[in-house]
Amino acid sequence: MSAVPPPFPTPQESVDHSELLQLGTALGPDEPCLRADAARNRARLLEAAARLVAERGADAVTMEAVAAEARVGKGTVFRRFGDRTGLLTALLDHSEKKFQAAFLSGPPPLGPGAPPVERLRAFGCAMLRRSTDELELQLAAEPGASRRFTAPPRRVLRHHVAMLLRQVVPEADCELLSHTLMGQLDPALIHHLTRQCGIPLARLEDAWVDLVNRVTGTAPAR
Amino acid sequence: MSAVPPPFPTPQESVDHSELLQLGTALGPDEPCLRADAARNRARLLEAAARLVAERGADAVTMEAVAAEARVGKGTVFRRFGDRTGLLTALLDHSEKKFQAAFLSGPPPLGPGAPPVERLRAFGCAMLRRSTDELELQLAAEPGASRRFTAPPRRVLRHHVAMLLRQVVPEADCELLSHTLMGQLDPALIHHLTRQCGIPLARLEDAWVDLVNRVTGTAPAR
């Protein structure tokens, strides 16, 4: 597309990207067969639900509240999402896809075009901000212990971290190291640190950047 | 007690140790008021239950199976533990206390007397081996997301990691870094890596040692 090739298109990156995209597809497309007006309607409902989460927490997301917020009849919300669980699942998928698009093809440093270590730093900070915004929603949707690490959205994120790590510290066990880094971004941990311990988000971001620097043996570019 | 003082008795260590011991006490003593024969009886039942877990998994631990394994009547097991949940809780407490004793006052490098970075390396490897042995039990007892990080046993372990980190990298945010390290030892993650991905324990131990080296900027003494 662009006349200037991105500075870090290594073979590993392209291989892993296709894997990422397959995983992304496994999440299910955003119902591409909907008629344009139905798709707009669905997106409007999801944006309304996301506003409710941001303003009043996940508990406030009922079928009735979303209908009122989007100014449609309650029946429309039920026809579109079936029940509240269907609505919350669709909401997380929607948010997941926006975030995937940002780190797979958005502007640097989160997206391609920045050095991989800068992308790693940006990825964690973006994840921390996103989790803080959607904490109740993510906690409510947390799978049980035996499925927590196999759920497709988490696999997409971890593969991305592993792909970046392999470009920075190819000698390390990047598969396991990516789990370590992802652990720092676990919604249950973020909940504990921010809500139960009162640690401000900025300190979590600093700790993420410091962790990336220590693990990769790099100092931040300031 | 000993004529030779341990090589790393820093002020932080003694402060944190007393905190650890308080947390340890919060777990509840091993029913010290029991008559000696009753205490022996209880320990025998717990050892029988631990053997069942090791040989046949947590699902095999029923009141009946423990009674048979310890060669006592079923009524004895019910009188002592109330129900299966009570038995499993007592079993984890028992194992937790043995492990705490090992890292608080056992022989080095897990216990005091070794350099803190060696104790960190030994701690993770011991945790990994212990979790592999007791995986079903630990998963069955995993608290929900909002209580996972506040449960007393986990706090004891994390405080210990933070105390060792402060001696090695006092300039770092050791509170948050200790959460990162503990994440690598999370039973749900160990379950995923060993059972779902088939990664051998030795590779997890290598990855732990490598992580400690990276985070502390040290190379292992070989």
Side-chain angles (χ1 to χ4, degrees):
Chain A
M1 303 298 219
S2 163
V4 184
F8 301 95
T10 68
Q12 294 94 318
E13 184 168 19
S14 39
V15 168
D16 279 359
H17 260 142
S18 70
E19 192 180 353
L20 279 173
L21 291 168
Q22 280 167 17
L23 282 169
T25 310
L27 290 178
D30 252 352
E31 303 198 26
C33 303
L34 288 179
R35 285 199 338 251
D37 57 345
R40 268 196 306 275
N41 197 0
R42 184 175 189 277
R44 209 173 110 198
L45 294 176
L46 289 174
E47 295 297 339
R51 278 198 303 277
L52 284 174
V53 171
E55 285 162 19
R56 290 157 50 197
D59 284 349
V61 181
T62 62
M63 304 300 261
E64 291 76 8
V66 171
E69 178 78 19
R71 299 184 189 187
V72 298
K74 206 167 71 173
T76 306
V77 185
F78 276 94
R79 271 194 304 280
R80 177 56 59 217
F81 301 106
D83 59 13
R84 184 169 181 268
T85 303
L87 172 66
L88 293 178
T89 307
L91 189 54
L92 269 178
D93 276 6
H94 182 66
S95 148
E96 207 60 55
K97 287 202 177 64
K98 279 205 299 196
F99 190 66
Q100 282 176 27
F103 69 72
L104 288 174
S105 56
L110 183 56
V117 69
E118 279 183 28
R119 293 186 68 189
L120 265 179
R121 293 186 193 116
F123 176 85
C125 294
M127 280 277 287
L128 286 168
R129 284 191 295 269
R130 179 180 163 228
S131 283
T132 312
D133 288 344
E134 297 179 353
L135 206 46
E136 279 86 4
L137 195 60
Q138 294 188 1
L139 288 179
E142 187 189 57
S146 65
R147 294 199 313 109
R148 196 170 306 144
F149 299 92
T150 53
R154 180 175 164 116
R155 286 177 59 205
V156 174
L157 302 171
R158 196 192 55 77
H159 272 261
H160 181 67
V161 169
M163 181 272 290
L164 293 173
L165 277 173
R166 276 193 286 271
Q167 294 177 44
V168 190
V169 282
E171 78 287 0
D173 189 335
C174 293
E175 194 70 13
L176 294 185
L177 211 46
S178 66
H179 280 289
T180 311
L181 293 190
M182 284 299 292
Q184 190 81 335
L185 307 173
D186 173 38
L189 177 60
I190 297 172
H191 172 264
H192 171 64
L193 296 173
T194 58
R195 307 284 168 91
Q196 295 176 328
C197 304
I199 294 178
L201 182 60
R203 185 171 154 199
L204 297 189
E205 294 187 22
D206 287 347
W208 169 264
V209 171
D210 180 64
L211 177 64
V212 169
N213 294 343
R214 285 176 188 275
V215 158
T216 60
T218 56
R222 287 185 192 275
Chain B
M1 300 296 218
S2 162
V4 183
F8 301 96
T10 68
Q12 294 93 319
E13 184 169 18
S14 41
V15 168
D16 279 0
H17 260 140
S18 70
E19 192 179 351
L20 279 172
L21 292 168
Q22 281 167 16
L23 283 168
T25 310
L27 291 177
D30 252 351
E31 303 198 28
C33 303
L34 289 179
R35 283 197 342 248
D37 57 345
R40 268 196 305 274
N41 197 1
R42 184 175 190 276
R44 213 172 108 198
L45 294 176
L46 289 173
E47 294 297 338
R51 278 198 304 277
L52 285 174
V53 171
E55 286 163 19
R56 292 157 47 198
D59 284 349
V61 180
T62 62
M63 304 300 262
E64 291 75 9
V66 170
E69 177 79 18
R71 300 183 189 189
V72 298
K74 206 168 71 172
T76 306
V77 185
F78 276 95
R79 270 195 304 281
R80 176 56 58 216
F81 301 106
D83 58 15
R84 185 169 181 267
T85 303
L87 172 66
L88 293 178
T89 306
L91 188 54
L92 270 178
D93 276 5
H94 182 67
S95 149
E96 207 60 56
K97 286 201 177 64
K98 278 206 298 199
F99 189 66
Q100 282 177 25
F103 69 72
L104 289 174
S105 56
L110 184 56
V117 69
E118 280 183 28
R119 292 186 69 189
L120 264 180
R121 294 187 192 114
F123 176 85
C125 293
M127 280 279 286
L128 287 168
R129 284 191 295 270
R130 178 180 163 228
S131 284
T132 311
D133 289 344
E134 297 179 354
L135 204 47
E136 280 84 4
L137 195 61
Q138 293 188 0
L139 288 179
E142 187 189 57
S146 64
R147 293 200 311 112
R148 197 171 305 146
F149 298 93
T150 53
R154 176 169 168 120
R155 287 177 57 205
V156 174
L157 301 171
R158 197 192 54 76
H159 272 262
H160 181 66
V161 170
M163 180 272 290
L164 293 174
L165 277 173
R166 276 193 285 272
Q167 295 177 43
V168 189
V169 282
E171 78 287 1
D173 190 335
C174 294
E175 194 71 11
L176 294 185
L177 211 45
S178 66
H179 280 287
T180 311
L181 294 190
M182 284 299 293
Q184 189 82 337
L185 307 173
D186 173 38
L189 177 60
I190 297 172
H191 172 264
H192 172 63
L193 296 173
T194 59
R195 307 284 169 90
Q196 294 176 329
C197 304
I199 294 179
L201 182 61
R203 184 171 155 201
L204 297 189
E205 293 187 22
D206 287 348
W208 169 264
V209 171
D210 180 63
L211 177 64
V212 169
N213 295 343
R214 285 176 189 274
V215 158
T216 59
T218 56
R222 287 185 192 273

